[in-house]
């Protein structure tokens, strides 16, 4: 066991690519560093980003759809926001929504998409990497004969947007 730990640490140190560019929190459980299968998320890809916003006076919900990929952690999932989305975050903080793969969550605020990915959820819980992108969009008015009423539909100019994780933090929790 001890030998395993030492060799894992040596491997982790020699394989400097195993460490992310952001600072790791001092409270990070040792097991996350020692578990070879624990990969720290470094970057991600957002594809086909699309947001529909209701026109003034239309009380229908905003709709967001995009595809999320993290090749380092081998996660690929669609993400949606719509009338049935549930805030999975802590009350009082920016609302966050889970993607179909709930390891991934996002916050849409201020034309900024913040992606959040739980870090090595199989090794240890309670930590998440996050990073933001600001998609540049092309928009057009949608006619009001759609089921959802009048609004504006916006598509990312870049169909693929590369994002970088800028921090790794404990997941905010109550208490
Ligand atoms: C609406 O959002 C929920 C939650 O993410 C998702 O499960 C569902 O597929 C979405 N509906 C549509 C039509 O995209
Ligand atoms: C939104 O962006 C504006 C301008 O960049 C900034 O002043 C403001 O603090 C931001 N608000 C939030 C909630 O991030
Ligand atoms: C949503 O859009 C439909 C179609 O235009 C409209 O009949 C309905 O009133 C809208 N819902 C709200 C809450 O405004
Ligand atoms: C995103 O990153 C990948 C891998 O580093 C690269 O191959 C690709 O060209 C980048 N895409 C864009 C749109 O910058």
């Amino acid at each position: 066991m001890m030998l395993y730990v030492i060799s894992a640490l040596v491997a982790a140190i020699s394989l400097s690519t195993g460490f992310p560019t952001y600072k790791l929190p001092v409270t990070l459980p040792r097991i996350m560093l020692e578990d070879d299968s624990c990969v720290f998320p470094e970057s991600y890809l957002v594809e086909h980003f699309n947001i529909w916003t209701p026109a003034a006076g239309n009380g229908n919900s905003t709709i967001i759809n995009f595809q999320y990929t993290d090749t380092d952690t081998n996660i690929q999932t669609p993400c949606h926001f719509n009338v049935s989305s549930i805030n999975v975050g802590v009350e009082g903080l920016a609302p966050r929504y889970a993607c179909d793969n709930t390891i991934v969550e996002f916050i849409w605020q201020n034309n900024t998409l913040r992606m959040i990915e739980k870090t090595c959820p199989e090794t240890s819980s309670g930590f998440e990497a996050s990073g933001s992108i600001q998609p540049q969009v092309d928009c057009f008015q949608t006619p009001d004969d759609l089921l959802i009423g009048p609004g504006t539909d916006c598509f990312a100019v870049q169909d693929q947007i590369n994002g970088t994780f800028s921090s790794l933090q404990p997941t905010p929790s109550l208490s």
Side-chain angles (χ1 to χ4, degrees):
M1 182 57 195
M2 195 58 197
L3 205 66
Y4 165 76
V5 168
I6 290 165
S7 62
L9 279 175
V10 169
I13 290 159
S14 56
L15 274 173
S16 57
T17 50
F19 280 93
T21 46
Y22 45 78
K23 204 163 151 262
L24 292 172
V26 288
T27 54
L28 195 76
R30 263 187 89 89
I31 185 145
M32 281 198 173
L33 297 170
E34 291 165 357
D35 185 346
D36 284 343
S37 68
C38 176
V39 176
F40 294 105
E42 189 83 58
S43 62
Y44 57 89
L45 187 65
V46 167
E47 292 177 283
H48 323 308
F49 179 83
N50 171 223
I51 177 168
W52 179 86
T53 319
N58 178 355
N60 284 298
S61 168
T62 293
I63 300 169
I64 299 172
N65 289 303
F66 60 93
Q67 179 77 18
Y68 175 90
T69 304
D70 182 340
T71 49
D72 296 329
T73 54
N74 205 19
I75 294 171
Q76 191 157 18
T77 180
C79 305
H80 314 278
F81 175 84
N82 58 48
V83 67
S84 53
S85 294
I86 295 159
N87 178 6
V88 295
V90 173
E91 209 169 316
L93 297 181
R96 44 165 84 190
Y97 302 97
C99 293
D100 285 8
N101 181 337
T102 57
I103 288 174
V104 184
E105 298 173 357
F106 67 93
I107 293 170
W108 173 256
Q109 204 175 48
N110 229 6
N111 298 321
T112 302
L113 181 67
R114 187 157 195 86
M115 294 306 314
I116 301 152
E117 187 181 312
K118 290 172 191 150
T119 310
C120 312
E122 258 125 62
T123 303
S124 175
S125 64
F127 286 82
E128 60 186 33
S130 66
S132 299
I133 56 171
Q134 273 187 306
Q136 302 296 306
V137 291
D138 275 337
C139 300
F140 63 91
Q141 307 298 312
T142 50
D144 57 11
D145 61 349
L146 291 176
L147 264 176
I148 47 176
T152 307
D153 211 5
C154 299
F155 295 86
V157 174
Q158 275 184 288
D159 195 46
Q160 300 191 319
I161 305 167
N162 279 338
T164 308
F165 289 109
S166 52
S167 77
L168 191 140
Q169 299 289 333
T171 298
S173 60
L174 284 171
S175 86

